[in-house]
Each structure stands twice: as structure tokens, then as C-alpha cells.
Amino acid sequence: MSPFKTLNAMLPPDARDDRHITFIDGERDQRTLSFRRLRQRALGALGALQRLGLSRGDTLILYLSDNERFLEMFWACLLGGIVPVPLAPGSNDEHWLKLLRVFAQQGQAPVCIDASSLERFDAFVVARDMGAMGDALHARTVLVGGLDLAGETGQPVQPDPQDIAFIQYSSGSTGDPKGVLLTHRNLTINTAQLAAGAGYTDRDSVLSWMPLSHDMGLIGFHLTLLSAGASHAIMRTELFARRPLLWLELASQRRSTVLCSPNFGFQHYLRQYAIKPPQGLDLSSIRMIMNGAEPISAEVCRRFVSTMAPHGLKAHTMFTVYGLAEATLAVSVPRREVPVETVLLDRSSLHVGERVRDAVAHSGRSVEFVKVGPPLPGVEVRIVDDAGIVLGERMLGHVHIRGDNVTQGYYKDAKRTAELRSADGWLETGDLGLLWDDQLIITGRAKDLIIINGQNHYPHDLERIAQETVGVEANRVVAAGVRSPTDETEALAVFVLHRGALVDFVPLVLELRRTISLQTGLAVSYVVPVRNIPKTSSGKLQRFALAEAFEQGDFDGPLAELSALLGVNVAAQPDMQDGTPTARRLRDICAAFVADRPVTPQTNLLEINLNSLNLARIHEAIDREFPQRIEVTDLFEYPTLERLADFLDSPRA
């Protein structure tokens, strides 16, 4: 049981002054705030909010990228009984659309935002001719830099454990955003469960780069640590994307004991490590690296641990966990100080309601899954078949959970709540899995949710965007997550109905990638021509059938031919020699990251198939050529290579 009845009790007036939060925005840009000072700052912000008319029970959307400002406003809300609604700020169209949709769903609740984000939002609504919606949001903005902090401090309230503490929206989802209702009781229970499972003490020193708008960042690596009295450092997510090697350099310097990362973060780090291995790392103080938030690759776990072993990282530090927003955060954690445990299963036996079979390694039919530990004390897990009948161990089925940490439902969505939560409290997670010696194994998703780089993406959102491309029609395009054969992670595949020659499909591939990348920041790994789109008898798309066929190699032949045609398409372009020497050098640097299209000084990096991690890698490559001249944000300010070159050649750089 938790020693706290509400989150507010975790930050009392006599909060510890010898425990603190460090905000890391750069290698030499770090600020430290004690727990006690955080409360004082939050009360000052609460006073400003109360003078604006916000009171207990109101909601406030938090659209803030600065971690220090975010926590100040988050705690101001909690102390005043105001319900914060954290959203991930971003730079693409889908982030702005999600903000508008949540704003509407929340009854045009006030939006706490900074001036630079508001300026970018204004540009977005003008470009989209959405002036009326923009004006409505503008009228409800609370500029974080413009708050009146000079007046009286706020008057805190005493919440009830059953009160809604905050509303957690799934990261990345836009078309139909789901607001998970989390009560103070949900949160105090789950933070206590996770703290006990991870063995947190006030002697731990924790470093996280997860965004605070994400449940793993906010709940797992702030609230849980606050409850345990553990000091923690929060590294800006964009800083990790731009300079991943700094993550472990800081961990080494700070003698951190606990870290965290989703699967893609380990891969991002290892790619940069291979280019320039850091010297002098000492990772011997690390006792745990929590790995969750997306499907876990056993191979990536092994590769990361073995690569870092010469720097003192112990073999048992990788801590593979499972959870979801509807469970507040955590459902299961593995045993501590035990290396990652896996099972090798026969792919052909993975059918709901059937017993799984062991497989022989490298048999062509084997697939490896990671054990994510037994359920946390107080959390019940059951596996059921399609009819809802409970299954025994080593039988594959739908994963259901129940416990005091499980949400009561979704904001203003009784229908969806009733669909996923039974009368006796069991919640359908949407995942498939099994129990193996009392440990949970997650094998995939029953539904179509796509998780890439730790963010949730709904296929109908991506399909809607794809239909903006000329030549793509409704119900003739399918977006699905597929297992990447190269790095054992989930990749985005877009299947398009096409019955003509493959050479005629090439322009569509390029345009689809450009459109989806521009609006979402996602890289489309595969655009697959298919002769038929499988559907149910009622006409619903069967996305899983296409994903399964892809993973079985059914499209390998056409994809290989298409890859060759894309190469010819790029090679056939004229060798552009225009532009300044700097622009041509930038073109050569960027060409290494863009394999399927020509790169010229006029190329706009935001309009081609680049996600945020690829942009970060391009920035690193440019930084090696032009040291300390540009920030990653300059790629957004000067998106064409010739404009970036002009900036680099100017005294401003």
C-alpha cells in the first residue's frame, strides 16, 4: 500500500530540501530545483492561475516543451485541484491537429503554452485556413511566460483520493484522442507498486530523457521517484535525439543508479556509439535500466548490454517491463538482478486459444519473446480466448488486467469505456500474450495500434493522410506495423492497391513517403503494392493479414524489384552542381541519409522521408563538419540546404 492518499501528499510544505530535480537542457545548461522549492514555485504559479479564474475541477491543457516549466504548472494544477491535461508539443501538422481535437473534446479548456509554440500554431492555422478554430484556442491561451507571479501565492486544496488527478492522452494518436482518467488513488497505488518492484530508495540517483507528456516519463520517472524520495535528473528529449552519447556520459558523471529507455532509444544510442565510441565511461554505478513503452527486442537488449559491458555495465541491469496508460503505468516487472529472460516459440503455433510450442533456434519458424515478469502485487492478469474463457499457462490469448491502479474509463467516452472494461473490473488491454511460469509474455496486439519510437499511432490516421496523395483512394490503402527484419523493431508499412507495372508505382512511393513524413514526422519504411486488400464480410480492413503476409516474406520479390527501380530513379537524376560550396557539402552529407531520392541544394528536409531521429543524425553529421555552428532547431528554421548554407556562411552561425 502507498503511504500517500493523494499526489499532493507527495509534495508537502516540508518537502525534502536535500532531494532535488535537475533539468538538463544542454551539456552545460543544467538547473537544480529542490522538492521544497518546486512546491513553492508551484504555489506561486497557482496564485496566478487562480487570479485568472481557474479553480478546483477546471481543466488546463499543458502544451509545454520546457520540463521545468511543465512541472511547475503541473504541480500548480494538482495543488489547486485543477486537472492538468499533458500533451506532447511537436512541430508537425498532426501534433497541432491533436491539440485542436483535445481542446474541443475538453470543452475549449484553457491551454497553457509558450510564446514560440503559439507563434508556430498561428502559422499552422493560417496555412490550413482554420482561422476560426485558431481564434477560439487563442482566446483561451495561458502564456506561461506572461503569468502574473508577483501576487499572492495560491491557496492549495485537499483533494479526495477518488478525484481525477490528471487526464493522460495516448502519445501520437490524433484522429480520435483517448483521454485516460487517472485518480489520485490510481496514481498513488501504482507508484507504490512500481517503486517496490524496482526497489527504489532515497539513495537512488535517476536519469531520464523520456518526455513528461508521456506516462513513462511523468509517472515512472518523476512521480514514482518523488514518492520514494529519490533525486532525479530529467534530460530534454530533443537533446537525447540530437546527442544520444551525452546520455551515458551524464550517467557516468552523475553516478546514476537507474536509467530508462524504450527500444528505439537503445538503437539510436548504439548507432552513434558505432561512429564515435566515447572514452572514459564508468557505468558501474547503474543497477537498472528500465526498458518499456514499446515492443521489446531481445536482440537489442543483448547488443546494448554487451556493447556497454567494457564500460562496467552489469549483465543484469536491463529491466524489461510492461504497462499501459489504462493501468496508470505499470502492470508487470521482472525479478531484479536477473539477466533478460526470453522464450523461443514456433511462429505457426501463435493462435489465440491454442497452446504455444517451443521452437528450435534459427529454424526459420522461431520467434523470440521477452519475459516481462510477474504481475505487480495488487495487479491481476488473466489470459482469455476470443469467447472470454480464461486460459491456462502457455496458452495464447487476450491480456486482461484488474486492480486499483486500473482507470475507471475514458474522458467523455462511456461507449469506449464499456467496450473495454467489464462490469467486474477487468480491462481489455488490446494486447495478446501468455503466462509462462507465472511471468507475462506479450506477443503482439490484437488491435491495429502501431507503436514506433515509443509513440502510439492509429492506422486510420495514417490512412487518412495517405489518401491526400493523388492516386490513393479510400479503402485502397492500409497502414500497419510490421516487424523490421533488420533491427527487430516495429516499422511502418503502407500497403496500396496497385495492379499495374511496378515502374508506374515509383512516383506514388515517393509522394506517399513525403506526405506522411511531412504531416507526422514518421518515416514510412515500406510502401508495398498489393493486388488485393483483405476485408471482413462486413467490409472492415484486415490489417493484421497484410502484416502477417509481409513478415512471412510474401512481398519480398516485389519489394526487391521496387527497391531497384527506386535506385534507378535516383541515379537517373542529373548531377546537380549548383549552389555554394557549403550547400554542395551539405547535399553530400544529407545524401547518405536519403537513399530513395535526389538531394539538391533546393531540397527541403522537412518534405522528404525523414523522421526526428534521422534529422538528429543529419545534424550530428553536419556538426562534425561544421563544429558548434548550428543547433538541431536550425534545421526547422532553415529547411532547404541552400538556406542552411547561407546561415552557416553568415556571422550569425
Side-chain angles (χ1 to χ4, degrees):
M1 287 292 294
S2 171
F4 306 104
K5 297 297 183 184
T6 67
L7 291 183
N8 297 32
M10 294 181 184
L11 198 66
D14 60 348
R16 294 182 65 162
D17 215 23
D18 63 339
R19 292 294 180 269
H20 50 265
I21 308 165
T22 301
F23 301 95
I24 303 173
D25 291 341
E27 186 174 7
R28 289 176 291 276
D29 183 3
Q30 303 182 22
R31 301 174 305 284
T32 297
L33 198 64
S34 71
F35 292 177
R36 185 177 301 173
R37 182 59 181 150
L38 172 60
R39 178 185 169 90
Q40 293 168 351
R41 291 263 295 270
L43 285 174
L46 173 59
L49 293 178
Q50 290 174 336
R51 284 189 289 278
L52 289 174
L54 284 152
S55 60
R56 183 172 186 167
D58 292 336
T59 56
L60 178 64
I61 298 170
L62 300 183
Y63 201 81
L64 301 169
S65 58
D66 183 278
N67 290 324
E68 187 174 358
R69 294 290 168 263
F70 176 93
L71 285 186
E72 181 179 305
M73 299 308 299
F74 177 79
W75 278 102
C77 290
L78 291 181
L79 293 175
I82 301 165
V83 179
V85 183
L87 289 184
S91 57
N92 59 58
D93 289 1
E94 287 299 292
H95 281 103
W96 299 123
L97 287 172
K98 179 176 180 178
L99 171 61
L100 284 170
R101 287 170 181 141
V102 171
F103 175 66
Q105 193 181 92
Q106 291 289 329
Q108 298 194 350
V111 178
C112 186
I113 192 170
D114 61 69
S116 61
S117 293
L118 186 59
E119 185 178 337
R120 292 195 298 274
F121 171 78
D122 290 341
F124 163 77
V125 295
V126 168
R128 283 286 190 116
D129 195 22
M130 301 170 71
M133 296 180 70
D135 290 344
L137 188 143
H138 228 292
R140 299 289 284 161
T141 56
V142 176
L143 275 178
V144 70
L147 286 173
D148 172 23
L149 301 177
E152 293 291 325
T153 59
Q155 296 300 310
V157 304
Q158 182 58 47
D160 186 87
Q162 299 304 325
D163 287 349
I164 301 299
F166 65 92
I167 302 173
Q168 180 73 51
Y169 278 86
S170 297
S171 58
S173 59
T174 57
D176 186 18
K178 295 188 304 181
V180 178
L181 300 172
L182 297 177
T183 65
H184 284 270
R185 179 170 171 77
N186 290 148
L187 286 150
T188 55
I189 290 290
N190 201 227
T191 52
Q193 292 167 328
L194 182 56
Y200 287 143
T201 73
D202 61 1
R203 296 184 299 277
D204 274 313
S205 174
V206 183
L207 172 63
S208 166
W209 56 262
M210 295 295 291
L212 291 172
S213 56
H214 191 286
D215 51 6
M216 189 171 179
L218 179 57
I219 301 170
F221 284 86
H222 171 61
L223 294 177
T224 302
L225 301 171
L226 191 69
S227 72
S231 293
H232 47 290
I234 304 172
M235 179 180 180
R236 197 179 182 104
T237 305
E238 293 83 354
L239 179 60
F240 171 78
R242 180 165 56 88
R243 295 189 57 190
L245 298 183
L246 184 60
W247 175 42
L248 293 190
E249 289 174 14
L250 291 170
S252 175
Q253 294 167 14
R254 298 177 62 83
R255 307 304 296 151
S256 298
T257 59
V258 179
L259 307 176
C260 68
S261 177
N263 209 63
F264 81 91
F266 297 114
Q267 293 176 304
H268 185 43
Y269 183 91
L270 289 171
R271 288 190 190 102
Q272 301 309 309
Y273 181 93
I275 296 171
K276 187 180 179 182
Q279 303 299 312
L281 284 183
D282 180 2
L283 307 180
S284 59
S285 63
I286 298 171
R287 68 175 184 85
M288 176 185 297
I289 305 179
M290 202 168 286
N291 182 348
E294 68 174 358
I296 299 169
S297 165
E299 175 55 31
V300 171
C301 292
R302 286 190 291 265
R303 186 152 48 92
F304 183 83
V305 170
S306 63
T307 302
M308 295 298 108
H311 300 290
L313 189 69
K314 295 177 279 293
H316 62 255
T317 53
M318 192 64 73
F319 200 65
T320 53
V321 300
Y322 169 69
L324 62 157
E326 287 82 354
T328 299
L329 176 63
V331 171
S332 67
V333 301
R335 295 173 293 166
R336 298 199 297 273
E337 299 189 357
V338 174
V340 172
E341 298 180 87
T342 67
V343 296
L344 207 60
L345 302 179
D346 186 329
R347 188 187 301 272
S348 65
S349 70
L350 299 178
H351 300 289
V352 172
E354 297 183 10
R355 182 172 295 277
V356 299
R357 296 191 300 270
D358 293 335
V360 178
H362 313 299
S363 64
R365 299 168 65 89
S366 64
V367 57
E368 188 176 24
F369 294 106
V370 172
K371 295 180 180 180
V372 291
L376 288 164
V379 180
E380 297 178 81
V381 173
R382 71 180 184 185
I383 310 296
V384 305
D385 66 10
D386 290 334
I389 298 173
V390 178
L391 302 172
E393 279 223 339
R394 306 196 183 190
M395 296 187 73
L396 183 68
H398 303 272
V399 180
H400 290 189
I401 60 173
R402 184 168 67 176
D404 290 334
N405 61 309
V406 177
T407 179
Q408 296 300 306
Y410 301 107
Y411 180 77
K412 289 188 176 179
D413 199 336
K415 181 175 181 291
R416 179 177 276 159
T417 299
E419 288 173 350
L420 295 183
R421 187 182 173 96
S422 66
D424 56 352
W426 286 101
L427 183 132
E428 182 181 343
T429 66
D431 290 316
L432 297 176
L434 62 143
L435 291 168
W436 187 292
D437 297 337
D438 294 324
Q439 291 202 64
L440 182 60
I441 294 170
I442 302 297
T443 62
R445 284 180 294 283
K447 299 189 181 297
D448 301 317
L449 187 68
I450 301 168
I451 303 179
I452 295 177
N453 292 347
Q455 289 200 327
N456 299 340
H457 299 274
Y458 290 89
H460 53 266
D461 288 342
L462 301 173
E463 290 156 5
R464 170 181 51 79
I465 293 168
Q467 289 164 26
E468 297 176 10
T469 304
V470 175
V472 177
E473 300 178 28
N475 293 319
R476 295 191 175 187
V477 59
V478 169
V482 297
R483 197 77 168 175
S484 170
T486 56
D487 53 19
E488 288 298 304
T489 60
E490 190 153 273
L492 174 60
V494 176
F495 300 87
V496 182
L497 187 69
H498 180 79
R499 293 170 179 162
L502 277 182
V503 68
D504 298 330
F505 192 66
V506 169
L508 190 61
V509 172
L510 300 177
E511 186 60 20
L512 262 175
R513 286 177 166 174
R514 187 196 71 82
T515 300
I516 292 176
S517 176
L518 179 63
Q519 295 199 38
T520 69
L522 276 177
V524 181
S525 298
Y526 308 97
V527 180
V528 188
V530 295
R531 301 190 66 80
N532 294 288
I533 300 289
K535 299 177 183 178
T536 66
S537 57
S538 61
K540 293 183 179 178
L541 298 175
Q542 290 185 308
R543 299 180 180 93
F544 72 91
L546 287 171
E548 188 175 81
F550 177 94
E551 294 177 4
Q552 291 175 351
D554 291 4
F555 304 114
D556 286 356
L559 284 175
E561 185 179 346
L562 190 59
S563 179
L565 287 170
L566 285 165
V568 169
N569 183 268
V570 173
Q573 301 297 323
D575 183 17
M576 299 292 183
Q577 293 299 322
D578 60 331
T580 65
T582 300
R584 292 198 296 272
R585 182 66 192 120
L586 289 175
R587 180 201 62 194
D588 294 340
I589 291 171
C590 294
F593 297 88
V594 185
D596 59 357
R597 69 199 65 209
V599 178
T600 74
Q602 291 75 39
T603 295
N604 188 316
L605 296 179
L606 304 184
E607 294 185 356
I608 58 178
N609 188 38
L610 293 174
N611 60 20
S612 58
L613 290 183
N614 279 334
L615 282 174
R617 293 171 194 141
I618 286 176
H619 173 264
E620 289 182 358
I622 295 173
D623 191 58
R624 288 194 295 271
E625 187 80 11
F626 303 94
Q628 303 297 315
R629 302 287 298 281
I630 65 168
E631 295 289 339
V632 72
T633 52
D634 292 324
L635 299 180
F636 295 90
E637 187 73 20
Y638 310 101
T640 68
L641 300 187
E642 60 184 359
R643 288 183 61 194
L644 187 60
D646 289 344
F647 174 71
L648 277 168
D649 290 336
S650 73
R652 293 172 294 163

